[in-house]
Amino acid sequence: MGASGATNQAEREKGDTEDKQESSPGQGGVKEAAGPGPGAEAAGPKPRSVRLVLFSLMIAVLLAMLDNMIVGTAMPTIVGELGGLEHLSWVVTAYTLTTAASTPLWGKLGDMFGRKGVFLTSIVIFLAGSMTSGAAQTMGQLIGFRALQGLGAGGLMVGAMAIMGDLIPPRERGKYMGMMAGVMSLAMIGGPLVGGTLTDHLGWRWAFYINLPLGAVALAMVGTVLHLPKKRSQGRIDYTGAVLLTVGITAAVLVTSWGGTEYDWSSSTIIGIGALAVAALVAFPFVERRVAEPILPLRVFRSGNFSLVAFIGFLLGFVMFGSMTFLPLYQQSVQGASATNSGLLLLPVLLPMMVVSVVTGRATTKTGKYRIYPIVGGALIPVGLFLLAQMDVGTSRLTSGLYMAVLGAGMGFLMQLTMLIAQNSVELKDMGVASSTTTLFRTIGGSFGVALMGTIFATHVEDSMKESAAAAGDAGGGPAAKLTEGGAQLDAASLEKLPEQVRAAYEHAVVNGTHAVFLLAAGVTVLAFVAAWFIKEVPLKDAAAQKSAEPEEDGVPAAG
């Protein structure tokens, strides 16, 4: 070997040694900003650094979850100032589209080039989208900047989960994922309240600007405290697969977002977009089998556990997003709750979900056992949904709250445990792909759930109101007949202004609609209960196992 070759070999060995020191699970994957001093290898774990990194990851997750919840309450004010009511849905759709489409890309890029740099990039893009969205002067600009913001948001959740997967072995990860679930619940509860307060006192633009100080803190902490190996991938980016997956996901989300609302399900537009989605997603696996570095390696689906929790995650998204949409509507329209406190209305769901997630996470860490939890969660969710389907105009808030608590507890058993099982089912080099795929399936499930349940709800409300209008003899244009136009949905304040007979008819219509959607969801989620029985109790890797597997699984030379 020549002098040059020997020098390069020595440099590579030095880089490998440094990478192992930085990424060792026993060290928590982090080091102090001042760098390791003499005897760093024997220094042991640095809990303070680990906690700081986890705190910064939770801020990033909070940003991703909080944004839509805050912006939702500001939308009426935004439309009042910028106009463009006909494009209102695109403010949400643009964000959802780019988030869903970019999720697998962020996961794979983190696997190929190192998570820290990719994660920091996603934070910067998200903050740029937040700043420009707050400065938007037209509805068109806001939609474009929301798409940019969603592009960054796609990497926030995936990056946080994948980094946690790198730092903390599966055996110890449960309790931290329970904390993540708590952060998500906090965002769902506090988002509408924060959004309403900011909009009322500082203006709607602060619904976006609030992300800047939080994001700056996360950016600074991740940049200074987190130290992971830098990677140089020897493979080329799978551009063809990335395009096919992006087109397929985008088309699928558009079909579920527009079908039955913007366009009829049988319209040429929906059929054409649906055909495009099918063509792209069918072609995608054929491409992935032929490239060196697939954007979504199909090998991860060889694990039965991974495939099962991906399917369960799809169903969980279907139920979670759907119930979060229609429960407040029932509470406002039938039980007379105020829309201002929409976040508080969901407390009976979110608090049990948060508590159960934390408890099961800690129990998993302590015992290493987890198979029973998806089974219990898979049983509670359809039971909770069936109970919710029994609500009528006379159901008290206490009773409905108890039904919601059953549903929330069921989701708590699955919320973060599906991610843990998915990550434990793949090699360390595929941690980003596992995280992004699980998140993607949940997102797509949510899109399908809201779209399908929304169509069924609107149909039942409209049919029920037409029957009431005909029975009252005002099908020719009376108050009850007018409520059937466009599937109108009224809040408590608007309902108070209606004649008592019409108001009662509308409440019954909403009950019929929620009865139908919750029965549908209960039937669908029975499949999650069945799938949970096939999950195998694969031992969770501890710190020593993850550390010993790391050098062989990285598969790329360290950059030092």
Side-chain angles (χ1 to χ4, degrees):
M1 182 184 296
S4 175
T7 301
N8 291 338
Q9 177 66 22
E11 290 177 350
R12 282 194 296 271
E13 291 176 355
K14 179 182 177 183
D16 291 340
T17 301
E18 291 174 351
D19 289 344
K20 292 175 186 177
Q21 291 173 352
E22 289 184 359
S23 62
S24 166
Q27 298 290 338
V30 293
K31 62 182 181 182
E32 301 294 0
E41 292 183 57
K46 299 181 176 61
R48 180 174 177 272
S49 295
V50 175
R51 286 196 295 268
L52 287 174
V53 171
L54 291 175
F55 180 69
S56 64
L57 296 181
M58 289 180 187
I59 292 177
V61 171
L62 184 65
L63 285 173
M65 294 294 299
L66 199 62
D67 187 75
N68 263 340
M69 305 302 295
I70 288 180
V71 172
T73 57
M75 286 309 299
T77 306
I78 293 173
V79 172
E81 181 173 326
L82 299 183
L85 179 62
E86 67 276 14
H87 303 303
L88 175 63
S89 63
W90 268 104
V91 176
V92 176
T93 302
Y95 182 91
T96 305
L97 274 177
T98 52
T99 299
S102 65
T103 293
L105 306 181
W106 285 114
K108 183 60 179 179
L109 290 174
D111 286 341
M112 293 179 68
F113 301 111
R115 305 206 200 286
K116 179 178 177 178
V118 172
F119 187 55
L120 290 174
T121 301
S122 69
I123 295 176
V124 171
I125 293 175
F126 180 83
L127 294 181
S130 299
M131 183 174 63
T132 50
S133 293
Q137 300 301 311
T138 66
M139 186 62 79
Q141 289 179 5
L142 180 59
I143 291 170
F145 295 143
R146 282 283 284 167
L148 176 65
Q149 192 182 24
L151 180 63
L156 294 180
M157 186 72 72
V158 172
M161 293 300 177
I163 290 173
M164 182 182 293
D166 277 349
L167 301 186
I168 302 175
R171 179 61 189 268
E172 302 171 18
R173 203 177 299 154
K175 61 182 178 181
Y176 296 106
M177 287 193 166
M179 293 166 63
M180 286 289 187
V183 171
M184 295 178 190
S185 300
L186 179 64
M188 292 179 182
I189 296 170
L193 299 177
V194 173
T197 301
L198 289 174
T199 302
D200 290 341
H201 295 89
L202 297 176
W204 66 265
R205 298 182 187 277
W206 277 93
F208 299 102
Y209 290 151
I210 189 63
N211 294 327
L212 301 181
L214 290 174
V217 171
L219 200 62
M221 293 181 66
V222 171
T224 56
V225 180
L226 177 63
H227 294 269
L228 292 173
K230 298 177 182 178
K231 298 180 180 180
R232 285 196 306 264
S233 174
Q234 294 177 332
R236 297 180 59 187
I237 297 176
D238 176 20
Y239 291 108
T240 303
V243 170
L244 286 173
L245 187 60
T246 300
V247 170
I249 292 173
T250 301
V253 173
L254 283 177
V255 167
T256 57
S257 299
W258 285 352
T261 54
E262 299 287 331
Y263 304 95
D264 291 334
W265 285 104
S266 59
S267 68
S268 59
T269 300
I270 294 299
I271 293 175
I273 297 175
L276 178 62
V278 171
L281 295 177
V282 167
F284 176 72
F286 291 98
V287 171
E288 297 303 274
R289 290 193 182 99
R290 290 167 172 76
V291 296
E293 285 288 348
I295 203 74
L296 200 170
L298 300 182
R299 62 177 176 268
V300 299
F301 291 99
R302 294 173 188 167
S303 166
N305 275 6
F306 183 89
S307 299
L308 286 169
V309 296
F311 175 66
I312 292 173
F314 176 89
L315 298 177
L316 179 61
F318 187 103
V319 171
M320 184 169 64
F321 289 98
S323 60
M324 295 303 177
T325 299
F326 294 101
L327 278 173
L329 196 151
Y330 168 84
Q331 291 170 314
Q332 293 172 38
S333 300
V334 179
Q335 295 183 324
S338 169
T340 305
N341 297 321
S342 55
L344 297 177
L345 297 177
L346 297 175
L347 276 176
V349 173
L350 298 175
L351 283 181
M353 183 173 71
M354 178 175 64
V355 171
V356 171
S357 293
V358 172
V359 171
T360 55
R362 290 186 175 277
T364 300
T365 296
K366 182 178 180 179
T367 66
K369 304 294 184 181
Y370 56 83
R371 181 174 178 267
I372 186 62
Y373 300 130
I375 295 174
V376 174
L380 287 177
I381 289 176
V383 169
L385 289 166
F386 179 78
L387 290 174
L388 290 173
Q390 309 311 307
M391 297 187 302
D392 56 27
V393 293
T395 302
S396 68
R397 292 192 186 183
L398 175 60
T399 301
S400 62
L402 292 174
Y403 295 165
M404 292 163 68
V406 175
L407 174 62
M411 292 194 294
F413 279 106
L414 296 175
M415 188 71 178
Q416 296 304 316
L417 207 60
T418 51
M419 180 69 74
L420 173 63
I421 296 173
Q423 291 181 343
N424 191 58
S425 303
V426 302
E427 298 177 359
L428 194 61
K429 65 182 180 181
D430 291 325
M431 192 67 69
V433 167
S435 303
S436 64
T437 303
T438 307
T439 304
L440 176 64
F441 270 77
R442 192 177 296 181
T443 302
I444 297 298
S447 297
F448 274 93
V450 171
L452 184 58
M453 293 166 77
T455 300
I456 292 174
F457 177 84
T459 300
H460 276 75
V461 169
E462 186 170 347
D463 290 346
S464 181
M465 288 305 298
K466 285 180 178 178
E467 292 177 5
S468 298
D474 65 350
K482 290 181 179 179
L483 285 180
T484 66
E485 298 174 2
Q489 298 173 6
L490 304 179
D491 57 21
S494 301
L495 282 170
E496 287 296 327
K497 301 176 183 178
L498 295 174
E500 182 177 352
Q501 184 178 3
V502 177
R503 182 171 68 251
Y506 185 73
E507 290 175 354
H508 280 285
V510 171
V511 166
N512 289 338
T514 53
H515 175 78
V517 298
F518 287 132
L519 272 185
L520 167 70
V524 167
T525 51
V526 169
L527 298 175
F529 174 66
V530 174
W533 281 97
F534 291 92
I535 293 176
K536 297 179 180 179
E537 190 87 73
V538 178
L540 297 173
K541 302 182 185 76
D542 57 17
Q546 180 161 313
K547 181 178 180 180
S548 64
E550 187 172 347
E552 291 77 22
E553 291 181 349
D554 276 347
V556 292

